[in-house]
């Protein structure tokens, strides 16, 4: 059994597992399934208009009685309106990322929300704690999607961030087994945030072609690119070959932005355009080779966690 931690108490959940809010993957179906399994399901608002977000929150409320959250990347267009929706709909937990947590934390607390913020360094973890967040999520550069500029691995962050703050620390980046969750707890973290594993479940709204390509991917099939724009971990395809070529030739931020355009992540993840789309996924994709339901993945995580505990006792 997963132990209770300050994080599980804070969030009112049974298991110290958060499903990262992911653009084009984390709708109400995935969020509700994770919450019904005892973790914290999270709706990814980064790819939603305010009215879509309201729809997903209401559907999630119908599908689960357990707590769930919404992830809002602070650089999202219409960010003010997204916050108005989570406050009006009384969402219990808000996870902010990609920006300054100072701007929103107090307003969210006044509205009764718990606030977690994603950081990529011990310095940003301290700033987030000063801004009053309830917990920090330290995300290493193994993680799928947008990354911090420091390129610190989860293992290094685990050691520095746990020392830097006194609030609960959640680790993200590279978790897809129960034994890795045990390792996170041993390092002083009080939970993990998992993205890649849940992006490839049946309940994820990602396109089947995206899921199939990821399930076939092996070691070394992702890379951190677009460092001059926003560092992003991507599965190799024609789009990444082109970006890599441009970067090798010294393309400027503006040239990369122009080539990137606006719809690449939607094309790749949601529409299944495996050639031209951005296929955001984490390094740990190499360990996942079959599509499963959220419930099956929770069972796998718990059994593997138990085995690791037994091994340690021996
Ligand atoms: C397809 C995809 C989309 C993501 N979108 C977001 C996002 O919108 N906001 C965010 O804070 N993190 C996003 N992430 C990061 C996850 O929330 C999570 O922190 C990360 O995936 C954890 O690392 P892992 O992929 O190794 O499990 C995304 C990750 C993936 C794979």
């Amino acid at each position: 059994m997963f132990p209770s931690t300050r994080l599980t108490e804070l969030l009112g959940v049974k298991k110290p597992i958060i499903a990262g809010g992911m653009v084009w993957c984390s709708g109400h179906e995935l969020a509700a399934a994770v919450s019904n399994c005892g973790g914290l399901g999270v709706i990814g608002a980064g790819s939603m208009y305010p009215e879509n977000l309201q729809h997903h929150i209401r559907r999630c409320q119908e599908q689960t009685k357990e707590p769930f959250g919404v992830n809002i990347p602070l650089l999202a267009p219409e960010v003010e309106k997204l916050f108005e929706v989570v406050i009006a709909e009384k969402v219990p937990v808000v996870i902010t990322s990609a920006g300054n947590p100072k701007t929103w934390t107090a307003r969210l607390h006044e509205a009764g929300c718990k606030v977690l913020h994603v950081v990529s360094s011990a310095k940003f973890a301290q700033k987030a704690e000063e801004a009053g967040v309830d917990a920090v999520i330290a995300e290493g550069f193994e993680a799928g999607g947008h990354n911090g500029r420091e390129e610190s691995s989860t293992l290094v962050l685990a050691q520095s961030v746990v020392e830097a703050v006194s609030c609960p620390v959640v680790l993200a980046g590279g978790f897809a087994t129960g034994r890795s969750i045990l390792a996170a707890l041993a390092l002083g973290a009080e939970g993990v945030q998992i993205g890649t594993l849940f992006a490839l479940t049946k309940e994820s709204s990602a396109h089947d072609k995206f899921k199939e390509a990821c399930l076939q991917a092996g070691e070394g099939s992702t890379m951190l690119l677009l460092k001059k724009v926003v560092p992003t971990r991507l599965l190799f395809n024609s789009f990444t070959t082109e970006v890599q070529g441009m970067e090798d030739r010294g393309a400027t931020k503006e040239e990369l932005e122009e080539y990137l355009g606006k719809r690449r992540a939607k094309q790749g993840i949601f529409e299944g355009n495996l050639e031209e789309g951005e296929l955001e996924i984490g390094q740990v994709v190499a360990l996942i080779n079959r599509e499963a339901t959220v419930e099956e993945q929770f069972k796998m995580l718990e059994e593997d966690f138990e085995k690791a505990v037994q091994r340690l006792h021996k």
Side-chain angles (χ1 to χ4, degrees):
M1 247 181 50
F2 291 117
S4 310
T5 65
R6 285 189 299 166
L7 182 83
T8 57
E9 276 164 37
L10 174 76
L11 303 178
V13 297
K14 295 188 190 74
K15 297 170 191 168
I17 298 171
I18 297 173
M22 294 174 282
V23 288
W24 306 114
C25 301
S26 305
H28 60 83
E29 213 185 329
L30 178 56
V34 171
S35 290
N36 284 333
C37 284
L40 185 82
V42 176
I43 295 170
S47 49
M48 294 180 185
Y49 293 114
E51 54 276 20
N52 296 125
L53 176 60
Q54 187 190 53
H55 166 77
H56 280 273
I57 293 170
R58 292 186 177 176
R59 289 287 290 124
C60 194
Q61 284 162 340
E62 284 163 19
Q63 290 167 307
T64 184
K65 295 283 158 271
E66 303 300 327
F68 68 94
V70 170
N71 166 255
I72 304 187
L74 294 167
L75 301 174
E78 300 200 82
V79 71
E80 292 263 344
K81 288 195 180 140
L82 295 175
F83 278 111
E84 280 168 20
V85 172
V86 294
I87 290 171
E89 299 296 320
K90 301 192 177 5
V91 171
V93 182
V94 177
I95 299 181
T96 54
S97 57
N100 184 352
K102 242 185 184 173
T103 331
W104 283 97
T105 303
R107 267 176 72 183
L108 290 167
H109 277 160
E110 273 167 34
C113 306
K114 303 280 186 251
V115 185
L116 284 74
H117 186 69
V118 181
V119 297
S120 54
S121 69
K123 185 179 86 183
F124 287 135
Q126 279 169 339
K127 288 198 165 179
E129 189 169 51
E130 280 161 27
V133 303
D134 299 292
V136 292
I137 301 175
E139 189 189 62
F141 93 133
E142 300 91 325
H146 293 172
N147 274 218
R149 298 203 172 273
E150 299 78 6
E151 298 188 27
S152 300
S153 71
T154 307
L155 185 57
V156 170
L157 282 178
Q159 297 162 82
S160 60
V161 175
V162 165
E163 288 299 314
V165 295
S166 53
C167 64
V169 174
V170 179
L171 291 178
F175 295 97
T177 58
R179 55 196 182 275
S180 62
I181 299 176
L182 182 63
L185 298 176
L187 285 160
E190 305 200 36
V192 296
Q193 173 166 287
I194 295 181
T196 293
L197 183 74
F198 291 129
L200 305 179
T201 56
K202 292 211 166 79
E203 291 87 343
S204 154
S205 55
H207 197 281
D208 281 346
K209 282 191 187 165
F210 168 79
K211 293 182 192 171
E212 280 159 26
C214 290
L215 293 170
Q216 280 166 24
E219 281 177 324
S221 52
T222 71
M223 197 178 182
L224 196 63
L225 286 163
L226 294 164
K227 292 184 195 177
K228 285 184 190 162
V229 186
V230 186
T232 311
R233 183 163 295 284
L234 296 165
L235 192 72
F236 286 123
N237 65 354
S238 310
F239 167 72
T240 57
T241 308
E242 188 63 33
V243 170
Q244 223 179 335
M246 288 176 76
E247 291 183 340
D248 289 347
R249 291 193 297 275
T252 61
K253 182 177 180 232
E254 290 70 29
E255 283 165 338
L256 287 163
E257 274 172 347
E258 197 190 322
Y259 178 66
L260 184 60
K262 292 224 176 304
R263 301 182 62 252
R264 294 274 181 182
K266 182 179 187 187
Q267 272 184 306
I269 304 168
F270 196 64
E271 295 171 358
N273 183 340
L274 299 182
E275 296 307 317
E276 291 160 50
E278 252 190 319
L279 309 176
E280 299 183 12
I281 207 73
Q283 273 185 356
V284 79
V285 72
L287 272 62
I288 308 161
N289 45 35
R290 71 177 185 98
E291 196 188 22
T293 62
V294 165
E295 197 180 347
E296 285 164 345
Q297 295 300 24
F298 263 86
K299 193 163 174 276
M300 176 277 291
L301 291 172
E302 284 201 85
E303 285 174 2
D304 193 51
F305 181 87
E306 278 312 318
K307 272 193 209 154
V309 171
Q310 304 294 327
R311 247 194 328 267
L312 276 186
H313 284 315
K314 274 188 202 159

